[in-house]
Amino acid sequence: MNDISRAGDPAMGAELHRRGRDLLDRAVVTFNGQAVGTVAATDPEAPALNYDQVFIRDFVPVALYYLAEGEPAMVRHFLIRCCELQATERSMDCYRPGAGLIPASFKVAADDRSLIPDYGGHAIGRVAPVDASLWWLYLLRVYVRATGDRELAARADFQAAIKRILELCLIDRFDMYPTLLVPDGSFMVDRRLGVYGFPLEVQALFYMALRAADELLTDAEDGPFYREAVAGRLGKLVHYVRAYYWLDLGVLNRLYRADTEEYGAEAFNAFNIVPESIPTWLPDWLAEGGGYLAGNLGPSRLDYRFFTQGNLLAVLSGLADGDQASAILTQIGERRDDLIADMPLKLCYPALAGDDWRTVTGSDPKNTPWSYHNGGSWPVFLWLLAAAGQHRGQPGLARTAVARAAERLPATAWAEYFDGPRGRLVGKQARRYQTWTVAGVLLADRFLAHPDILGALTFGEDVAPEQCAI
Ligand code: GLC
């Protein structure tokens, strides 16, 4: 590990890597004698709630780290177990998960004989995960690329699982947009935060899952039929997100003087966004040469908040085009005091406060301004900052951010999140020894030292955007 660490001038020392790795190994969950994932946190003092379960989204950076270390066995077992836990029945019973859904988390039963999934039926707020199936599909693709084990994805049960996810996302729907319509709190932000509708993060994951499906579906049986459906949706999704979610000074100027109440195909302001909805902080916050994808889009609704995970996933996956990707990194760099500050990175910016906080979060005491999801800082995003930055040939920001986090994290027991506009306080209800915090920073350091391992995470040729009806 020492030699590897020296190769690319990492920001973290070998000793810190060793301690982090030790924490990850201690979080491993075994079932039938096989490592199948890691618990969300190993804090000995905080109430476990469901932090003693294997969360699909939390395991992704851990899995990527083990893959980067050339240790794919746990990732393979995890992928197989999730495939087994996927709901398969098309049922009309509202309390059963829809076919295709992969649980948010799972745990080993007390008698050690089975895995118990949670599709949201037990989770705080009873939130169903939309992201888990999408993360699973993406992770499967990274695993296949990193190991060359195409046989796993080609297995009949895996092919069927991929098709179920596609059916869930592509067929039944009330809306007529290329994006995915989802309930509030259905992804990393699993509490009420006004992220119902068409949140950017889910759209980025949707795009990544579609691209993964395109690569992994075989020609067996009706594989080509599904691949064709995927190709059709991808082009439309790419055009739609790039055209309508994008915010920069030029777009803002057009929107500021835009007409409303336009009817028909020629409308410029297709979603009837009212210029008065532009928040006062935005014109000055948009950096010269910067820009980003808005947090959400719907009828008369542009959520102007900057959401870090969605934007970085868009850069890494190529959902954002080349110019947009550069502008997003410029925006983060120019506003580093807001987004990176003393603990990278803000989940979203700015925080909801006052009446907005009361009405949008339902007075959530966990999501007070600059805490938790509502503008709190999450070191797990470091892996994405490093991956996206390296992918675009701009690793500098991540290098400084990793170095700063590496200084503070051990002293703060690898906290889950940090509070305050600059992220100086350990989050009020943050777990200590949060597994994805550890994995996030270790993985970031690996990406900075070894950009070559990123090849498994990125996609090749751009998808040709397809102009849609809107
Ligand atoms: C919190 C986070 C969620 C995460 C879970 C386990 O509920 O909001 O995204 O998966 O903790 O760490």
Side-chain angles (χ1 to χ4, degrees):
M1 203 180 265
N2 278 343
D3 289 335
I4 292 175
S5 297
R6 273 196 294 272
D9 187 22
M12 285 172 71
E15 167 59 14
L16 203 52
H17 259 280
R18 202 193 47 71
R19 281 163 62 192
R21 169 65 196 242
D22 195 42
L23 285 169
L24 293 184
D25 288 343
R26 273 197 258 159
V28 168
V29 172
T30 53
F31 177 61
N32 275 351
Q34 293 171 335
V36 292
T38 45
V39 292
T42 50
D43 191 332
E45 278 161 28
L49 296 175
N50 50 358
Y51 281 83
D52 58 356
Q53 302 202 15
V54 179
F55 276 76
I56 279 53
R57 72 176 73 89
D58 291 49
F59 185 64
V60 170
V62 184
L64 298 179
Y65 180 71
Y66 280 86
L67 287 176
E69 294 289 283
E71 300 172 46
M74 173 161 56
V75 183
R76 186 172 202 276
H77 295 141
F78 169 86
L79 290 166
I80 293 172
R81 295 302 174 189
C82 288
C83 184
E84 289 166 359
L85 292 173
Q86 184 190 47
T88 55
E89 210 182 306
R90 271 177 83 81
S91 163
M92 298 222 190
D93 177 350
C94 64
Y95 285 123
R96 295 185 72 87
L101 208 67
I102 284 179
S105 62
F106 62 81
K107 63 179 175 188
V108 181
D111 64 4
D112 265 345
R113 292 161 72 107
S114 60
L115 293 176
I116 303 177
D118 185 0
Y119 300 92
H122 297 274
I124 296 166
R126 302 292 181 262
V127 280
V130 168
D131 64 341
S133 318
L134 307 175
W135 275 122
W136 176 81
L137 200 34
Y138 176 66
L139 182 61
L140 176 62
R141 185 268 187 179
V142 178
Y143 165 85
V144 168
R145 297 265 300 198
T147 61
D149 180 7
R150 286 200 72 85
E151 289 75 41
L152 183 68
R155 269 168 41 168
D157 54 342
F158 272 67
Q159 290 290 303
I162 295 171
K163 289 172 191 171
R164 263 182 229 113
I165 295 172
L166 293 177
E167 285 172 13
L168 183 63
C169 295
L170 298 180
I171 300 180
D172 298 328
R173 62 206 165 86
F174 278 116
D175 66 316
M176 288 177 61
Y177 302 129
T179 38
L180 267 191
L181 174 61
V182 302
D184 217 344
S186 59
F187 54 107
M188 178 184 180
V189 179
D190 55 2
R191 296 170 82 91
R192 194 174 149 194
L193 198 73
V195 290
Y196 54 87
F198 306 90
L200 174 67
E201 181 175 323
V202 170
Q203 313 316 323
L205 287 170
F206 183 33
Y207 167 82
M208 291 156 70
L210 289 176
R211 290 215 61 171
D214 179 49
E215 278 182 31
L216 299 175
L217 281 168
T218 65
D219 284 338
E221 295 176 24
D222 47 4
F225 166 80
Y226 282 87
R227 274 217 305 278
E228 210 175 298
V230 165
R233 187 67 169 258
L234 267 173
K236 296 183 183 91
L237 179 65
V238 162
H239 170 265
Y240 185 94
V241 171
R242 290 179 184 173
Y244 299 119
Y245 279 66
W246 185 247
L247 279 171
D248 61 16
L249 267 179
V251 170
L252 199 64
N253 269 292
R254 283 199 296 282
L255 186 59
Y256 181 62
R257 293 165 58 90
D259 291 332
T260 56
E261 311 301 329
E262 295 172 292
Y263 176 81
E266 303 306 315
F268 163 73
N269 189 358
F271 297 92
N272 205 34
I273 308 295
V274 180
E276 282 67 28
S277 72
I278 296 172
T280 46
W281 57 267
L282 183 58
D284 289 345
W285 196 71
L286 267 172
E288 204 62 52
Y292 63 96
L293 294 163
N296 213 322
L297 173 70
S300 286
R301 179 185 186 208
L302 195 53
D303 184 338
Y304 300 91
R305 282 176 292 174
F306 175 92
F307 281 84
T308 296
Q309 176 133 277
N311 272 285
L312 288 178
L313 286 174
V315 173
L316 181 65
S317 67
L319 172 59
D321 69 25
D323 290 344
Q324 291 177 336
S326 301
I328 291 170
L329 293 177
T330 300
Q331 182 69 26
I332 296 174
E334 292 294 313
R335 296 294 174 255
R336 66 170 72 87
D337 285 351
D338 294 326
L339 299 174
I340 299 181
D342 284 337
M343 181 52 77
L345 288 94
K346 288 273 174 347
L347 188 145
C348 72
Y349 181 91
L352 296 167
D355 282 346
D356 285 343
W357 166 76
R358 258 185 295 281
T359 49
V360 178
T361 73
S363 300
D364 186 351
K366 198 163 176 179
N367 265 330
T368 50
W370 308 113
S371 184
Y372 200 49
H373 301 145
N374 186 17
S377 301
W378 293 68
V380 61
F381 294 141
L382 277 167
W383 77 267
L384 263 172
L385 183 68
Q390 279 287 25
H391 178 50
R392 301 292 312 166
Q394 292 172 245
L397 259 186
R399 205 171 283 285
T400 324
V402 169
R404 180 78 183 112
E407 261 170 41
R408 281 190 74 201
L409 281 177
T412 51
W414 309 83
E416 179 186 12
Y417 65 94
F418 290 75
D419 286 357
R422 293 194 56 88
R424 303 199 102 174
L425 300 165
V426 172
K428 196 159 218 160
Q429 296 189 41
R431 293 295 181 286
R432 298 179 309 156
Y433 308 107
Q434 179 81 14
T435 309
W436 68 2
T437 295
V438 180
V441 66
L442 294 192
L443 187 58
D445 205 45
R446 278 285 172 270
F447 286 155
L448 292 174
H450 290 277
D452 48 305
I453 56 179
L454 273 168
L457 276 78
T458 54
F459 295 97
E461 231 172 90
D462 197 13
V463 169
E466 191 186 325
Q467 183 90 34
C468 18
I470 295 166

